Amino acid sequence: MLYIIGLGLCDERDITIRGLQAVKNSTRVYLEAYTSILMVQKERLEAFYEKSLILADRDLVESQSDEILHNADKEDVSLLVVGDPFGATTHTDILLRARALNVPTRVIHNASIMNAVGACGLQLYNFGQTVSLVFFTETWKPDSFYDRIKENADLDLHTLVLLDIKVKEQSEENLARGRKIYEPPRYMTIPLAVTQLLEIESMRQTGALSPDTTLAIALSRVGGGDEHQRIVAGTLSELVNHPSDAFEVEYAETFAVDKERWREVARTSYGCALE
């Protein structure tokens, strides 16, 4: 059996009981490590699951899935996914490959950003199409997301915008030359995301993403509880000026010896008006 198991959004304890049983019974357990981010290190998962984990990067999952599927028709193999297994098309693809090889499959679901976004107070029923925002380059600025956002807005629906992460990615030059040299990991910040949204608005000029009147809510570490997750709301122009470091500053305030002094320094250094 090939199990594809959702891990939830925070730490090693978010796995379901059914998922944990499947992990413990598996001969090999792979941890998909590039479509999303877990808030704990691999070693903590291994200690809690009492199982060694094999890191599965993009190449392994997308191009060398035969390694994962090897003998999965004779023994249990698990692929662990942050959030829910169907949060990325990659996992649907490996299911189809398994079925083509007559490998039995089972999906064990968990919480994902698709439902946990309700933590910001917006009703899930009022969300329209979800879009992804990728890192722009000088020559590549895909803007099809804008049409989806506008369609949602015209129907008075919210849009969930998923921000890009780059893990084990190659530069265009290294990719063209076939060199297995990878760029450092990158995670899109809220200000960068809003900057890109406004860049496309300046080209389209429909008002769907008006800097001063479009309201947005920025979320990070969703699912981690009040001590981890951060939620900031404002107009796009306010969020674009909200320092990336502010999310870290606000989170770290929990541990400050003198919280009032911490807030004062945060306001002076980062322009953060902490609640």
Side-chain angles (χ1 to χ4, degrees):
M1 178 80 71
L2 171 69
Y3 289 94
I4 301 187
I5 303 170
L7 295 182
L9 292 170
C10 186
D11 59 33
E12 70 277 11
R13 298 167 297 173
D14 282 352
I15 193 171
T16 64
I17 294 175
R18 182 181 297 176
L20 184 58
Q21 289 174 338
V23 168
K24 288 182 177 294
N25 292 333
S26 292
T27 304
R28 302 190 312 278
V29 183
Y30 295 88
L31 174 62
E32 189 268 90
Y34 69 92
T35 59
S36 193
I37 306 168
L38 199 63
M39 297 185 202
V40 294
Q41 299 299 313
K42 166 176 170 281
E43 290 72 22
R44 276 183 57 178
L45 299 179
E46 291 178 323
F48 188 78
Y49 303 155
E50 299 178 338
K51 206 80 174 180
S52 295
L53 303 182
I54 304 167
L55 284 180
D57 59 19
R58 184 184 297 275
D59 287 342
L60 181 59
V61 176
E62 296 184 356
S63 305
Q64 303 166 29
S65 60
D66 288 349
E67 178 180 330
I68 297 175
L69 298 175
H70 178 66
N71 279 345
D73 56 338
K74 303 180 182 67
E75 57 192 16
D76 288 342
V77 177
S78 289
L79 175 63
L80 308 183
V81 178
V82 179
D84 185 81
F86 289 131
T89 54
T90 295
H91 312 128
T92 302
D93 183 65
I94 198 170
L95 276 175
L96 294 175
R97 296 186 196 187
R99 290 170 183 171
L101 295 172
N102 295 317
V103 172
T105 61
R106 182 166 299 166
V107 174
I108 300 177
H109 294 281
N110 210 319
S112 77
I113 189 58
M114 301 297 286
N115 52 33
V117 68
C120 72
L122 301 181
Q123 296 298 313
L124 297 180
Y125 287 108
N126 292 329
F127 276 84
Q129 304 167 86
T130 297
V131 301
S132 296
L133 185 64
V134 301
F135 282 104
F136 286 175
T137 68
E138 289 297 322
T139 58
W140 189 60
K141 298 181 180 182
D143 62 352
S144 59
F145 68 85
Y146 186 92
D147 299 310
R148 307 289 85 76
I149 292 176
K150 187 177 186 307
E151 289 168 6
N152 289 342
D154 290 342
L155 294 171
D156 291 328
L157 296 174
H158 311 307
T159 302
L160 174 60
V161 181
L162 304 176
L163 306 189
D164 198 8
I165 64 173
K166 296 289 188 185
V167 178
K168 203 174 181 182
E169 295 278 345
Q170 294 172 271
S171 68
E172 293 182 2
E173 180 183 353
N174 287 328
L175 187 62
R177 294 177 179 271
R179 296 184 298 207
K180 293 290 184 179
I181 301 174
Y182 301 100
E183 300 294 297
R186 289 193 296 156
Y187 309 95
M188 186 179 289
T189 64
I190 299 301
L192 176 58
V194 178
T195 297
Q196 294 190 178
L197 293 176
L198 294 180
E199 182 176 352
I200 300 304
E201 173 61 38
S202 68
M203 297 166 54
R204 296 293 194 91
Q205 296 186 356
T206 71
L209 293 171
S210 171
D212 298 321
T213 60
T214 298
L215 298 177
I217 304 175
L219 304 95
S220 66
R221 301 190 187 90
V222 178
D226 292 340
E227 71 276 20
H228 290 287
Q229 71 182 21
R230 303 305 306 168
I231 301 175
V232 177
T235 64
L236 291 179
S237 59
E238 289 171 336
L239 290 180
V240 79
N241 293 316
H242 190 70
S244 301
D245 293 335
F247 280 94
E248 308 302 322
V249 170
E250 292 166 359
Y251 169 61
E253 184 204 353
T254 305
F255 310 107
V257 174
D258 186 336
K259 288 185 171 57
E260 289 303 317
R261 176 60 179 160
W262 182 267
R263 294 182 182 198
E264 179 183 342
V265 174
R267 282 193 295 270
T268 302
S269 303
Y270 299 104
C272 307
L274 304 184
E275 298 178 357

